[in-house]
Amino acid sequence: KRGLSSNGVAASAVEVMSELNRDAAAAALEAATSAMTDVSGFGLLGHLHELARASGVAAEVDAAAVPAIEGVLDLLRLPEPPIAGGSRRNREWLEPQLEWGDHVPEELRWLLCDAMTSGGLLVAAPSGSDLPGTRVGYLLDGAPGSIQVR
C-alpha cells in the first residue's frame, strides 16, 4: 500500500488471498466444529466478536500466535503505517468490546483489526482437535462478544 513495500509483501498477499478455504473447511466440519466463518472485511477480531456474541460466549486471543505475512508487521511499525480506513473503522467499532493486554504492541493491534479482502477461516472447534492451521485463542465464559487480547 502506498508503494511502501518492496520486500515481496504484495506478492505474498496475492498468494495468500488466492488460496481456497475449501480443504480447510472440509477438515473443520469433520472435527465437530461448532462455528466457522471466513475472515474478511471485519478483520479477525470483528469476525470473532460476531461469532462469540452469537454463541453467547467471550473470547481470548493470543496476539503473538496470529500468523502474518512476512514483512507486514514491519510496515505496521512505520511512523505512518499504511492502515486502510476500513481497518481504522473496525478498531473503533471493536474497542468497547476489547481488553488489550499491556504487552500487545500497536502493530499487532492493527493486524488483528485489518479489513482484509480475503483471509482464512476462523473455526470454533473442541480443544484437542487435529485441524490444519494455527490455534490463536479460546472461547470461554464471559460477556458475549467480549474479547481479551493477550
Side-chain angles (χ1 to χ4, degrees):
K1 183 147 183 153
R2 297 185 202 145
L4 294 175
S5 174
S6 61
N7 60 3
V9 172
S12 295
V14 169
E15 183 178 330
V16 167
M17 289 187 294
S18 298
E19 290 180 23
L20 297 177
N21 288 327
R22 179 185 57 233
D23 294 341
L29 290 172
E30 290 177 17
T33 296
S34 58
M36 179 170 37
T37 184
D38 66 322
V39 177
S40 55
F42 293 111
L44 175 65
L45 292 184
H47 286 283
L48 178 58
H49 165 69
E50 291 291 311
L51 184 150
R53 187 177 67 180
S55 300
V57 297
E60 181 175 306
V61 173
D62 176 359
V66 175
I69 295 170
E70 188 174 339
V72 166
L73 293 176
D74 293 333
L75 289 172
L76 292 172
R77 287 184 194 108
L78 292 172
E80 291 187 38
I83 298 169
S87 298
R88 292 179 191 281
R89 288 186 294 278
N90 284 347
R91 185 164 172 184
E92 182 179 319
W93 168 65
L94 286 166
E95 285 290 348
Q97 301 300 321
L98 300 175
E99 180 185 318
W100 296 107
D102 292 339
H103 70 282
V104 179
E106 196 64 20
E107 64 269 15
L108 282 179
R109 295 176 189 215
W110 284 116
L111 178 72
L112 297 175
C113 295
D114 181 47
M116 52 189 76
T117 302
S118 176
L121 295 176
L122 176 61
V123 177
S127 289
S129 298
D130 187 27
L131 289 172
T134 304
R135 180 179 304 274
V136 298
Y138 298 91
L139 297 174
L140 41 97
D141 289 333
S146 65
I147 304 171
Q148 299 173 11
V149 184
R150 305 287 179 229

